[in-house]
């Protein structure tokens, strides 16, 4: 495994990758002289200085560039920033606007005399220009003596003479916003050599707030600390982004020092206490200071009642706190306490107040610490939850505090440590409202650490002998459900869940049992070929989630996985993606913990749809994420899927690495493990082509696990068929008849028409499958139709089928197809005209040049090239040469 960072973020115009549009736009304005001035407006750290530097660099060979730097030190000195260009003036003339203008004109004339090029004046920090200098610059613009690009902050904004030009329509204004997610992704792709997965992009985007200066500091500090690391070509975060790094500390210090003392004081208070009531800060520091910080967008105000203030960026707030000594922090805490009623604080504010008190060495009541620890846990602030809970000593609270610590450790992937903590406290919590959640969490921790469920259940039964009968009964119900779920026994689960549904105790603390039972039943029904019923069960499980929000077990994610599996078993791809998107949009805090699991589900969905390249892009980063945190125990399943896709796409090196991951992985549960074995066997066959993998699949198809689960059997048989084994087609028909949902119906239709070998019926089926969203199955129907029609002598229609199959290939995004049926299809040859056009394209001729050479239209050339791309499995003319037969 490659664990080296292999990266030092570049500093020269590093974030202009995300600023191409404003850079191009401003350069075009300056070149065309459609406006004599462009004002670039942006808050601190948003990148206006980098942008103006890049403008000057790009235009240096075309214009005479003159740099002016505004300075707060010279803001009160008339014409102070223009001194380098007015040095020959007398003391009396140096304060005369007319004399200064003449001097500037003379300087411009000397510049033009050298090369005749116009003058471009680039002004940085123009908001610091004194009124006199701004007046001169405005005159230069109005007279057309020079073009000006001036960068300034929106507050306090440009001096009045320059602002007036914009109001009068004599200047363009470009407002730079923080980088959005797509721009952050573009920047990371530019500065990091390798694949940057969505989870890393999301974390960096959220932490930086899109501020390029903070982003730059974070990248450097994370790389130096080894937190941003390249693993097997994937950039992953091995922990929380650092708030005490050298670069970020320097950014915070510089930002702090340029502020007035009263703003510094207010900012420290908000960073330490935030979210904190606006009224509290106004009472201490004054309303004008608060308005100033809000104007500068350094702090933000929520919309609640009462209004609360926070520093604009959580990481920036932490970095500010790191610069404050404990003694000073304690003084500020006492000042806040004098003005703040703790009863008015909302959840996050109470959590922060507890954290701050503990940082200052103050004692906090254990009950308050437990509430704060649970609040931190709900926000996936795992370190905070652990550190607060570890300080609790009250005998009545310490066991629940241990469970909170255990869940935080579980989130971080420390499963053995989580299990140890729960072992010491679960008996004491068995009768508590959190008892079921604690037992489930303990089971998950032990299973993730490699302990079999049966052994765990036996241990639980031994240790609960002294507990009250009611408590033992509830624990036994949970263990029974878990055992039926492990056996994927939908009949036993169905009976037990029906009893739970009809229980008179329903709705009185029975929610964990119902959510667990329905979710396990949903998965078992999907495996049994009854995903429609499974979906109903999954939705019933989801209906219990609101009341379970904040429990120690991860019910939401547990249920989500089963819900997605049912949708995929039915062939409802869009519904599965909608559920995943909905979760991601409402559970951003849990992204670092559960992202790998969600990406495995997304990759699985793409795989089932036949979108192998997209599946590969998702599964490789997902496997790396699961090495760090695998709460749903999907590593073995995910690595098997990755092994399969890598083998199928011909990436031998990655396939062999993922094969080893799959073989070394701890079992993740019988339901997933059986499919993992099937995909692993298919992957081996793609890799070696020796028949052993296919034989292993046939053996799996005869096992009880497969024969008793129609849905699982159909998926397994589809893998055999995908490998070119047509002998399984009758078995596919039998299995598909026992499975409900659109996917099984489509498989049945394809298999039936395949055997009937009716070209017309196959073409109709292919079109129906394509329209229904089963593009990969449509592709195979077209391939089979082309063979049948060719054998029947209908060559024209056979070629139509081939063209339609290639269209499906293109839609699925596959460059090279090693499918089950393509080998049986007739070879596709380039026409003479296509060959002529391709030869000229490979030589580097443009479409218009090719059209002139061959005396055809440009549209004809474009059409032939497009059809050639489809035939050869390429996407651009850059790939043509490598794809042509040698």
């Amino acid at each position: 495994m490659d664990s080296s960072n292999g990266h030092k973020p570049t500093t020269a115009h590093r974030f202009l990758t995300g600023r191409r549009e404003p850079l191009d736009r401003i350069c075009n304005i300056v070149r065309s002289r459609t406006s004599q001035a462009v004002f670039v407006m942006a808050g601190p750290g948003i990148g206006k200085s980098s942008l103006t530097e890049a403008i000057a660099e790009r235009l240096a060979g075309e214009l005479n560039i003159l740099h002016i730097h505004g300075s707060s030190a010279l803001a009160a000195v008339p014409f102070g920033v223009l001194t380098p260009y007015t040095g020959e003036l007398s003391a009396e003339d140096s304060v005369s606007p007319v004399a200064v203008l003449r001097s500037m004109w003379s300087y411009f004339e000397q510049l033009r005399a050298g090369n005749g090029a116009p003058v471009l004046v680039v002004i940085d920090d123009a908001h610091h220009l004194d009124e006199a200098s701004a007046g001169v610059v405005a005159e230069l613009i109005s007279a057309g003596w020079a073009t000006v690009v001036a960068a300034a902050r929106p507050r306090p904004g440009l001096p009045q003479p320059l602002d007036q030009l914009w109001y009068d329509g004599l200047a363009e204004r470009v407002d730079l916003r923080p980088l959005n997610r797509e721009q952050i992704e573009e920047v990371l792709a530019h500065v990091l050599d390798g694949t940057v997965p969505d989870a890393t992009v999301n974390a960096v985007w959220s932490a930086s707030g899109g501020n390029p200066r903070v982003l730059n500091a974070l990248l450097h500090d994370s790389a130096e600390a080894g937190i941003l690391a390249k693993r097997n070509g994937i950039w992953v975060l091995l922990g929380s982004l650092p708030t005490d790094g050298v670069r970020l500390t320097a950014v915070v210090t510089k930002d702090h020092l340029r502020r007035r003392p009263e703003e510094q004081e207010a900012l420290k208070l908000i960073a330490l206490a935030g979210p904190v009531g606006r009224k509290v800060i106004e009472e201490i520091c004054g309303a004008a200071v608060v308005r100033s910080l809000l104007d500068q967008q350094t702090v933000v105000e929520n919309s609640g009642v009462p209004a609360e203030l926070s520093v604009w960026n959580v990481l920036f707030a932490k970095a500010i706190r790191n610069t404050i000594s404990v003694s000073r922090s304690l003084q500020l805490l006492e000042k806040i306490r004098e003005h703040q009623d703790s009863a008015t604080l909302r959840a996050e504010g109470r959590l922060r107040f507890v954290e701050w008190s503990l940082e200052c060495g103050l004692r906090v009541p254990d009950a308050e610490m437990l509430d704060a620890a649970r609040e931190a846990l709900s926000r996936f602030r795992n370190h905070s939850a652990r550190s607060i809970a570890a300080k609790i000593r009250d005998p009545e609270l310490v066991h629940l505090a241990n469970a909170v610590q255990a869940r935080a450790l579980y989130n971080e992937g420390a499963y053995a440590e989580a299990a140890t903590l729960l072992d010491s406290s679960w008996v004491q919590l068995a009768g508590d409202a959190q008892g079921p959640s604690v037992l489930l969490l303990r089971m998950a921790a032990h299973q993730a650490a490699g302990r079999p469920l049966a052994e765990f259940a036996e241990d639980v039964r031994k240790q609960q002998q002294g507990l009250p009968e009611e408590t033992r009964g509830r624990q036994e119900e949970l263990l029974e459900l878990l055992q039926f779920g492990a056996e994927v026994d939908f009949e036993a689960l169905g009976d037990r869940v029906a009893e739970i549904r009809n229980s008179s105790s329903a709705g009185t603390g029975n929610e964990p049992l119902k959510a667990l039972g329905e979710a396990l039943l949903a998965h078992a029904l999907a495996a049994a070929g009854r995903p429609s019923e499974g979906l109903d069960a999954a939705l019933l499980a989801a209906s219990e989630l609101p009341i379970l929000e904040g429990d120690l077990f991860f019910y939401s994610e547990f249920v989500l996985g089963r819900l997605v599996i049912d949708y995929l078993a039915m062939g409802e791809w869009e519904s599965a993606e909608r559920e995943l998107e909905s979760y991601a949009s409402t559970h951003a805090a849990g992204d670092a913990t559960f992202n790998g699991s969600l990406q495995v589900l997304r990759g699985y969905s793409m795989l089932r749809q036949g979108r192998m390249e997209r599946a590969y892009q998702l599964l490789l980063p997902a496997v790396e994420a699961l090495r760090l945190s695998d709460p749903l125990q999907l590593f073995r399943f995910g690595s098997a899927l990755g092994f399969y896709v890598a083998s199928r796409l011909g990436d031998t090196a990655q396939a062999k690495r993922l094969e080893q991951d799959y073989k070394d992985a701890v079992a993740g549960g019988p339901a997933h493990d059986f499919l993992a074995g099937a995909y692993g066997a298919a992957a081996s066959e793609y890799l070696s082509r020796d028949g052993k993998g296919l034989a292993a699949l046939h053996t799996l198809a005869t096992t009880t696990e497969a024969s008793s689960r129609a849905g699982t059997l159909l998926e397994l048989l589809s893998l055999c068929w995908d490998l070119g084994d047509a002998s399984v087609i009758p078995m596919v028909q039998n299995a598909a008849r026992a499975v409900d949902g659109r996917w099984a119906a489509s498989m049945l239709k394809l298999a039936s028409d395949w055997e009937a070998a009716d070209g017309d019926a196959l073409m109709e089926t292919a079109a129906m499958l394509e329209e229904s969203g089963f593009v990969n199955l449509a592709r195979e129907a077209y391939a089979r139709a082309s063979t049948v029609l060719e054998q029947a002598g209908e060559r024209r229609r056979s070629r139509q089928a081939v063209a339609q199959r290639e269209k499906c290939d293109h839609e699925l995004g596959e460059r090279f197809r090693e499918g089950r049926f393509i080998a049986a299809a007739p070879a596709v040859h380039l026409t003479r005209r296509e060959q002529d056009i391709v030869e000229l394209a490979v030589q580097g001729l443009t479409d218009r040049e090719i059209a002139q050479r061959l005396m055809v239209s440009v549209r004809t050339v474009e059409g032939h090239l497009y059809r050639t791309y489809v035939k050869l499995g390429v996407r651009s003319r850059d790939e043509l040469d490598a794809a042509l037969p040698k």
Side-chain angles (χ1 to χ4, degrees):
M1 182 186 298
D2 170 23
S3 61
S4 62
N5 289 336
H7 139 271
K8 289 289 181 184
T10 140
T11 55
H13 305 316
R14 51 199 169 272
F15 300 119
L16 289 172
T17 306
R19 298 294 194 201
R20 294 297 176 194
E21 191 277 329
L23 174 61
D24 293 340
R25 177 186 169 193
I26 294 170
C27 287
N28 289 337
I29 291 172
V30 173
R31 286 187 177 116
S32 64
R33 298 178 70 85
T34 53
S35 181
Q36 284 297 121
V38 180
F39 299 149
V40 180
M41 310 301 290
I46 298 300
K48 58 186 181 300
S49 296
S50 294
L51 182 59
T52 54
E53 288 174 17
I55 293 167
E57 184 178 300
R58 179 179 287 189
L59 299 176
E62 308 171 36
L63 304 171
N64 289 300
I65 311 294
L66 194 67
H67 291 277
I68 296 175
H69 296 278
S71 166
S72 57
L74 295 174
V77 180
F79 308 112
V81 296
L82 302 180
T83 301
Y85 316 109
T86 60
E88 296 181 359
L89 294 178
S90 65
E92 183 178 351
D93 285 343
S94 66
V95 294
S96 166
V98 174
V100 171
L101 265 174
R102 287 173 178 166
S103 180
M104 295 292 291
W105 171 253
S106 298
Y107 192 88
F108 292 170
E109 285 298 292
Q110 291 174 21
L111 289 176
R112 293 193 192 96
N115 55 17
V119 176
L120 171 65
V121 179
V122 178
I123 308 175
D124 196 16
D125 286 340
H127 51 280
H128 286 315
L129 288 182
D130 61 276
E131 288 288 324
S133 296
V136 167
V137 172
E139 290 292 341
L140 295 175
I141 295 169
S142 300
W145 290 357
T147 302
V148 173
V149 173
R153 294 177 185 165
R155 291 174 177 79
L158 290 164
Q160 194 277 331
L162 296 180
D163 225 9
Q164 189 63 45
L165 291 177
W166 180 62
Y167 285 124
D168 293 341
L170 299 177
E172 294 275 351
R173 173 170 168 154
V174 175
D175 289 280
L176 292 187
R177 305 296 181 191
L179 298 173
N180 58 33
R181 189 198 177 282
E182 289 70 26
Q183 290 170 323
I184 292 284
E185 186 172 17
E186 186 182 356
V187 169
L188 294 180
H190 182 71
V191 300
L192 299 177
D193 177 23
T195 300
V196 186
D198 288 344
T200 302
V201 175
N202 291 339
V204 173
W205 177 45
S206 175
S208 68
N211 184 294
R213 186 186 297 171
V214 175
L215 175 58
N216 177 44
L218 281 178
L219 288 181
H220 277 279
D221 290 344
S222 300
E224 291 294 336
I227 291 171
L228 178 62
K230 190 176 182 182
R231 299 291 179 89
N232 298 310
I234 311 293
W235 287 95
V236 296
L237 292 171
L238 304 181
S240 300
L241 289 163
T243 60
D244 57 353
V246 174
R247 295 294 184 103
L248 187 59
T249 300
V251 169
V252 170
T253 302
K254 182 178 179 181
D255 177 83
H256 220 54
L257 290 175
R258 69 175 178 77
R259 299 185 182 280
R260 292 176 289 138
E262 56 270 29
E263 289 184 345
Q264 293 182 25
E265 183 82 350
L267 200 53
K268 287 177 180 177
L269 284 167
I270 297 169
L272 286 165
V276 60
R278 175 173 178 169
K279 184 179 179 182
V280 172
I281 303 300
E282 287 179 338
E283 288 176 357
I284 298 172
C285 303
V289 172
V290 171
R291 282 197 302 272
S292 175
L293 291 175
L294 287 169
D295 285 345
Q296 297 170 51
Q297 299 177 333
T298 303
V299 300
V300 293
E301 182 179 16
N302 66 18
S303 56
V305 179
E308 292 181 333
L309 302 175
S310 301
V311 175
W312 70 276
N313 176 276
V314 172
L315 218 64
F316 205 78
K318 290 181 180 178
I320 293 173
R321 296 201 292 266
N322 289 337
T323 66
I324 304 170
S325 68
V326 174
S327 59
R328 180 61 180 144
S329 181
L330 182 57
Q331 291 175 346
L332 295 173
L333 175 59
E334 294 301 327
K335 188 176 290 189
I336 286 284
R337 278 180 164 175
E338 293 173 7
H339 296 267
Q340 180 170 266
D341 179 4
S342 59
T344 64
L345 289 172
R346 289 191 281 274
E348 188 177 0
R350 290 196 301 273
L351 166 59
R352 179 59 208 141
F353 205 73
V354 169
E355 289 175 328
W356 189 10
S357 299
L358 294 175
E359 289 164 7
C360 292
L362 299 179
R363 192 185 182 292
V364 178
D366 282 6
E368 289 184 28
M369 285 198 291
L370 183 59
D371 287 344
R374 295 190 65 173
E375 179 65 28
L377 189 61
S378 71
R379 297 174 182 275
F380 286 85
R381 286 163 55 173
N382 299 313
H383 176 75
S384 182
R386 286 194 290 110
S387 60
I388 294 173
K391 298 180 187 302
I392 295 173
R393 295 291 178 265
D394 187 335
E396 294 184 5
L397 302 178
V398 71
H399 294 295
L400 188 52
N402 284 343
V404 169
Q405 290 185 73
R407 174 58 199 276
L409 286 166
Y410 190 92
N411 289 345
E412 296 171 334
Y415 304 120
E417 293 92 329
T420 299
L421 265 177
L422 290 167
D423 288 346
S424 67
S425 293
W426 80 273
V427 171
Q428 291 82 353
L429 293 170
D432 187 85
Q434 287 291 316
S437 299
V438 170
L439 177 64
L440 291 174
L441 183 62
R442 182 175 175 237
M443 176 276 299
H446 276 280
Q447 197 165 6
R451 191 179 188 190
L453 175 61
E455 181 184 313
F456 170 79
E458 183 181 354
D459 180 53
V460 170
R461 291 184 175 109
K462 287 178 181 177
Q463 294 181 9
Q464 67 176 2
Q465 292 304 315
L467 295 175
E469 183 177 349
E470 182 182 352
T471 302
R472 290 203 312 274
R474 182 182 295 182
Q475 302 267 351
E476 187 58 40
E477 285 181 306
L478 287 170
L479 291 174
E480 194 175 60
L481 286 173
L482 290 170
Q483 189 60 46
F484 291 152
E487 294 168 356
V488 200
D489 188 340
F490 76 92
E491 292 180 343
L493 276 170
D495 292 342
R496 191 69 194 89
V497 168
E499 292 176 15
I500 295 172
R501 289 174 185 169
N502 298 326
S503 171
S504 59
S505 61
T508 55
N510 226 21
E511 294 81 10
L513 199 65
K514 290 192 288 185
L516 178 72
E518 299 284 8
L520 291 173
L521 176 61
H523 200 159
L525 286 168
R530 295 158 63 175
S532 298
E533 295 176 53
L535 180 61
D536 292 338
L539 292 173
L540 283 172
S543 69
E544 304 293 340
L545 295 179
I547 200 168
L548 293 171
E549 195 72 34
D551 269 38
L552 290 172
F553 186 67
F554 39 92
Y555 294 102
S556 293
E557 294 77 15
F558 188 83
V559 171
L560 173 69
R562 275 68 186 172
L563 185 60
V564 169
I565 290 295
D566 275 293
Y567 275 128
L568 295 182
M570 294 170 67
E572 302 289 347
W573 321 126
E574 292 180 357
S575 296
E577 182 59 32
R578 185 175 63 248
E579 292 296 336
L580 291 168
E581 286 292 338
S582 175
Y583 174 87
S585 65
T586 55
H587 293 76
D591 190 64
T593 298
F594 288 98
N595 184 268
S597 303
L598 301 187
Q599 295 309 312
V600 163
L601 293 173
R602 280 200 171 96
Y604 183 39
S605 174
M606 292 296 116
L607 187 159
R608 294 288 299 268
Q609 295 175 56
R611 302 179 186 277
M612 295 299 160
E613 290 192 5
R614 180 57 183 148
Y616 200 33
Q617 293 167 1
L618 290 164
L619 288 168
L620 278 182
V623 169
E624 296 309 315
L626 291 179
R627 292 186 201 280
L628 304 174
S629 177
D630 183 19
L632 298 183
Q633 298 164 42
L634 292 177
F635 181 77
R636 188 167 188 265
F637 184 57
S639 56
L641 297 180
F643 174 31
Y644 174 81
V645 177
S647 299
R648 185 161 166 171
L649 292 177
D651 191 342
T652 304
Q654 287 281 27
K656 289 182 176 178
R657 181 183 64 77
L658 288 162
E659 179 183 23
Q660 196 60 51
D661 285 337
Y662 154 67
K663 290 179 176 178
D664 293 343
V666 172
H672 283 135
D673 279 350
F674 185 84
L675 277 178
Y679 279 101
S684 297
E685 184 62 31
Y686 277 114
L687 201 60
S688 61
R689 293 292 184 180
D690 59 4
K692 293 180 180 178
L694 191 57
L697 284 170
H698 278 275
T699 300
L700 285 173
T702 63
T703 61
T704 304
E705 292 92 333
S707 59
S708 63
R709 305 173 196 164
T712 300
L713 176 61
L714 182 58
E715 189 170 351
L716 187 153
L717 292 173
S718 75
L719 294 175
C720 295
W721 197 6
D722 212 31
L723 283 160
D725 181 8
S727 70
V728 302
I729 295 176
M731 297 172 65
V732 167
Q733 294 181 65
N734 290 334
R737 290 189 183 99
V739 178
D740 61 31
R742 296 170 63 243
W743 178 69
S746 299
M747 288 291 290
L748 177 58
K749 179 64 173 168
L750 176 60
S752 300
D753 287 355
W754 185 280
E755 286 214 307
D758 182 329
D760 292 334
L762 282 163
M763 288 294 285
E764 290 178 8
T765 295
M768 179 271 293
L769 291 171
E770 188 177 3
E771 185 177 352
S772 299
F774 297 98
V775 181
N776 57 328
L777 300 184
R779 174 178 57 190
E780 312 312 344
Y782 283 126
R784 174 65 168 167
S786 69
T787 301
V788 171
L789 292 168
E790 177 76 13
Q791 292 170 349
E794 298 187 48
R795 293 185 175 178
R796 183 184 63 82
R797 295 197 64 210
S798 175
R799 287 195 294 272
Q800 289 177 344
V802 170
Q804 290 297 110
R805 189 208 75 205
E806 290 169 341
K807 176 173 170 285
C808 290
D809 274 340
H810 186 73
E811 183 177 342
L812 292 171
E814 290 197 34
R815 295 188 188 186
F816 305 104
R817 171 70 176 147
E818 275 191 30
R820 48 195 174 204
F821 315 124
I822 298 304
V828 179
H829 300 287
L830 299 184
T831 65
R832 179 70 255 174
R833 176 64 78 191
E834 287 169 346
Q835 290 177 23
D836 292 339
I837 289 174
V838 167
E839 287 174 5
L840 294 174
V842 168
Q843 294 173 25
L845 274 69
T846 66
D847 291 356
R848 185 169 297 281
E849 290 169 341
I850 294 172
Q852 292 171 349
R853 180 79 64 89
L854 299 178
M855 292 183 292
V856 296
S857 71
V858 174
R859 181 169 294 181
T860 297
V861 172
E862 292 172 346
H864 279 301
L865 277 176
Y866 174 77
R867 286 188 289 275
T868 303
Y869 293 165
V870 173
K871 287 182 179 182
L872 296 176
V874 301
R875 296 175 182 172
S876 69
R877 64 174 61 211
D878 295 335
E879 300 171 359
L880 277 174
D881 192 30
L884 288 172
K886 303 299 182 186

